[in-house]
Amino acid sequence: MSLVYSYYLTSMLKSLVTITIFLMIVCAQDGLSDNTIFDGKKTVRVYNGMNDGILVYLHCRSRDNDLGQHVLAVGEYQEWSFTDNLFGTTLFWCTMDAGNVHASFEVYNAQTEEMNCSTQCNRILNNYGGYFFIQYYRYWEKRLSWHIPKTPSF
């Protein structure tokens, strides 16, 4: 009887260790992965909506991923796709230089964006601030403020 009990206990322990290792691998997976069994893919798109041909120098990253600096002409955008991590703590932030403004901001935070965008998370940076599209209510919310004056025309 003791031998049978020991066999089942060992078998259950092996299963538990296997499941634990699987979950650790899933938790450690790259935040930019396009496939996951727990959540769908999200896409963040940041547009340059400046006036007067002002370039936006945008550098976005997460704890695990540096997306590099991108120079966006007016109308261009930077886009990346990822899946939220298992714990719902995915966070991307950017630094931006445009005209006379240097800003650093959260561009995606899984804890706050869960109710704002399900798949496509659009942002636009213009002369007056940063606007985030609220997908469920279909409107733009101003979350960042700055002022980049228009270039005077002569």
Side-chain angles (χ1 to χ4, degrees):
M1 182 99 155
S2 168
L3 189 57
V4 171
Y5 178 74
S6 176
Y7 171 77
Y8 284 118
L9 186 60
T10 303
S11 179
M12 289 176 68
L13 186 58
K14 285 181 184 178
S15 296
L16 182 61
V17 168
T18 302
I19 290 170
T20 302
I21 291 172
F22 171 75
L23 289 175
M24 288 172 60
I25 291 170
V26 168
C27 290
Q29 82 178 2
D30 174 330
L32 291 174
S33 173
D34 284 345
N35 53 4
T36 180
I37 61 174
F38 296 107
D39 199 4
K41 182 171 69 168
K42 306 265 184 167
T43 300
V44 172
R45 183 180 290 177
V46 184
Y47 291 91
N48 175 355
M50 300 288 176
N51 293 325
D52 299 328
I54 296 171
L55 297 175
V56 170
Y57 296 85
L58 189 68
H59 190 162
C60 300
R61 60 182 64 99
S62 72
R63 185 183 62 158
D64 300 322
N65 300 286
D66 186 335
L67 304 174
Q69 182 169 353
H70 295 258
V71 181
L72 306 176
V74 174
E76 292 183 336
Y77 60 86
Q78 180 184 356
E79 176 180 273
W80 65 95
S81 297
F82 57 95
T83 54
D84 287 333
N85 65 30
L86 182 63
F87 301 110
T89 58
T90 302
L91 174 67
F92 283 91
W93 67 93
C94 300
T95 56
M96 177 206 75
D97 288 291
N100 62 339
V101 171
H102 174 79
S104 183
F105 56 92
E106 286 185 3
V107 72
Y108 178 85
N109 182 333
Q111 294 176 348
T112 57
E113 297 303 327
E114 180 179 332
M115 299 305 296
N116 295 328
C117 58
S118 64
T119 56
Q120 183 71 35
C121 304
N122 293 320
R123 285 67 172 112
I124 190 165
L125 308 173
N126 68 25
N127 293 55
Y128 303 101
Y131 296 80
F132 288 50
F133 189 69
I134 308 303
Q135 186 177 7
Y136 295 113
Y137 298 110
R138 306 198 54 72
Y139 77 94
W140 290 93
E141 176 181 74
K142 185 174 185 179
R143 293 197 190 166
L144 307 164
S145 291
W146 53 69
H147 178 70
I148 301 174
K150 288 186 173 187
T151 306
S153 59
F154 297 98

